[in-house]
């Protein structure tokens, strides 16, 4: 087990370079699904690996051995190896759990705090009287739809066709439940530091999904590209927007020039790169899962031996 258990902990470092190439090389929808599956899967397998590292060291404690009715410790390695590994794994698991709990609580508080716009309006669209240009999609509380929030400053910055494209973009975020994908990537990053690098390509792929939906809704890719570009320029000219919720998704976020080029068909297609990156991510996910299962099986066999039973093969 001692060798297989390290594979899930190291595999995220291998997956990240492939993930960075994925968002531009695959269709946005496929990129989002693959990035989300990879982030969550690798986080789960690495967490399982930490749990498996705790058990051999924990059985060195007499109290744990008595509870498990173990005849001898699970690991053949010396206590000066297994016990420090177990202590480090426990500390990492505790830190991850605390960070995840704080993140979930912060998002929950923000959803309650921003659930009703300042103007008290109801419905999908909330227009805020604010000269600073801004627009974003705000997820709703469980059982309630989200809101599209746009300021009067943003409405004045765009012409009618561009407004329709911008609202279609934000509507696509809500319809596609993009906030859940982004939250999954953020939580995964809390359980393994290498997975933090997946948040940027995930965010870009989600914006590209909404861009394509907006272009389809208005029937003109140039209008959608112009709306995104002008909205981003207007928001940037306002020197940032204060008070935007952290859980919000905005059309002006991410690498806007790359998104505009993709909408206008100026981005160079790289299907081979996309297929290679997708294959690499799937291979990393499969290897990590197989190693975690192998380490779990070895641990189960060690438990049987420690109890004086013959391991089942």
């Amino acid at each position: 087990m001692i060798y297989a258990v390290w594979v899930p902990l190291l595999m995220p470092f291998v997956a990240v370079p492939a993930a960075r190439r994925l968002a531009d090389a695959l269709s946005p929808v496929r990129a989002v699904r693959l990035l989300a599956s990879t982030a969550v899967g690798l986080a789960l397998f690495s967490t399982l690996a930490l749990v498996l590292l705790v058990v051999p060291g924990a059985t060195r404690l007499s109290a744990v051995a008595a509870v498990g009715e173990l005849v001898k410790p699970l690991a053949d390695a010396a206590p000066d190896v297994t016990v420090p590994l177990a202590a480090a794994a426990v500390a990492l698991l505790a830190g991850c759990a605390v960070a995840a709990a704080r993140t979930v609580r912060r998002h929950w508080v923000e959803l309650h705090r921003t659930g009703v716009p300042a103007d008290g309006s109801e419905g999908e669209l909330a227009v805020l009287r604010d000269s600073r240009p801004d627009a974003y999609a705000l997820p709703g509380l469980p059982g309630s739809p989200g809101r599209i929030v746009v300021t009067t400053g943003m409405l004045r910055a765009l012409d009618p066709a561009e407004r329709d494209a911008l609202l279609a973009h934000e509507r696509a975020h809500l319809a596609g439940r993009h906030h859940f994908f982004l939250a999954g990537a953020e939580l995964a990053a809390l359980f393994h530091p290498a997975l933090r690098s997946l948040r940027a390509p995930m965010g870009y792929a989600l914006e590209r999904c909404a861009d394509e939906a907006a272009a389809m809704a208005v029937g003109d890719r140039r209008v959608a590209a112009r709306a995104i570009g002008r909205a981003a320029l207007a928001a940037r000219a306002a020197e940032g927007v204060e008070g935007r919720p952290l859980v919000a998704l905005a059309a002006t976020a991410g690498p806007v020039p790359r998104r505009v080029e993709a909408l206008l068909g100026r981005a160079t297609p790289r299907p081979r790169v996309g297929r290679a990156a997708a294959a690499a991510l799937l291979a990393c996910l499969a290897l990590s899962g197989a190693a975690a299962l192998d380490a779990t099986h070895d641990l189960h066999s060690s438990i049987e031996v420690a109890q004086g039973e013959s391991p089942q093969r």
Side-chain angles (χ1 to χ4, degrees):
M1 184 192 76
I2 194 62
Y3 300 107
V5 77
W6 293 106
V7 175
L9 297 173
L10 298 176
M11 200 54 64
F13 294 100
V14 180
V16 166
R20 290 173 178 168
R21 297 175 175 269
L22 194 69
D24 278 323
L26 283 184
S27 68
V29 173
R30 291 181 178 178
V32 166
R33 291 174 179 173
L34 186 53
L35 286 171
S37 301
T38 300
V40 174
L42 292 179
L44 288 175
F45 294 140
S46 63
T47 303
L48 175 58
L50 288 177
V51 173
L52 295 177
L53 283 175
V54 172
V55 178
T59 59
R60 296 283 178 177
L61 302 175
S62 58
V64 175
V67 171
E69 298 181 352
L70 304 180
V71 176
K72 62 180 181 179
L74 301 186
D76 294 330
D80 58 352
V81 175
T82 57
V83 173
L85 278 177
V90 168
L92 289 173
L93 288 170
C96 292
V98 170
R102 288 178 177 175
T103 299
V104 171
R105 181 180 181 278
R106 185 181 73 245
H107 283 199
W108 185 259
V109 170
E110 276 216 339
L111 285 177
H112 277 276
R113 181 171 59 86
T114 60
V116 179
D119 64 352
S121 61
E122 296 182 358
E124 180 192 52
L125 179 62
V127 179
L128 302 183
R129 296 185 179 277
D130 193 334
S131 61
R132 297 172 298 179
D134 194 23
Y136 53 86
L138 188 66
L141 294 169
S144 62
R147 310 289 300 274
I148 298 174
V149 181
V150 61
T151 64
T152 53
M154 181 62 79
L155 293 178
R156 286 194 295 266
L158 306 177
D159 63 35
E162 293 166 351
R163 293 174 199 162
D164 290 341
L166 181 66
L167 295 179
H169 176 103
E170 304 301 350
R171 192 173 294 113
H173 280 316
L174 296 179
R177 302 287 184 179
H178 292 171
H179 302 87
F180 289 109
F181 290 99
L182 204 58
E186 183 176 355
L187 287 175
L190 296 176
F191 285 88
H192 198 291
L195 297 177
R196 295 174 185 172
S197 299
L198 294 184
R199 290 183 294 185
M202 171 67 81
Y204 173 74
L206 289 173
E207 293 302 328
R208 285 284 298 117
C209 285
D211 291 344
E212 293 296 329
M216 184 176 297
V218 300
D220 192 330
R221 299 180 68 85
R222 298 185 67 87
V223 170
R226 190 170 69 244
I228 292 166
R230 291 187 64 182
L233 288 174
R236 188 168 301 175
E239 297 181 354
V241 179
E242 299 179 359
R244 178 190 292 172
L246 295 176
V247 294
L249 283 170
T252 57
V256 174
R258 284 170 57 195
R259 292 165 51 199
V260 170
E261 287 183 357
L263 276 173
L264 296 177
R266 296 174 183 172
T268 303
R270 297 181 296 173
R272 292 184 178 180
V273 174
R275 288 193 293 268
L281 285 183
L282 290 174
C284 290
L285 195 58
L287 287 173
S288 183
L293 290 175
D294 182 58
T296 303
H297 181 269
D298 286 349
L299 178 61
H300 182 265
S301 299
S302 298
I303 292 175
E304 291 180 337
V305 171
Q307 291 176 329
E309 300 176 4
S310 299
Q312 297 180 356
R313 293 289 181 182

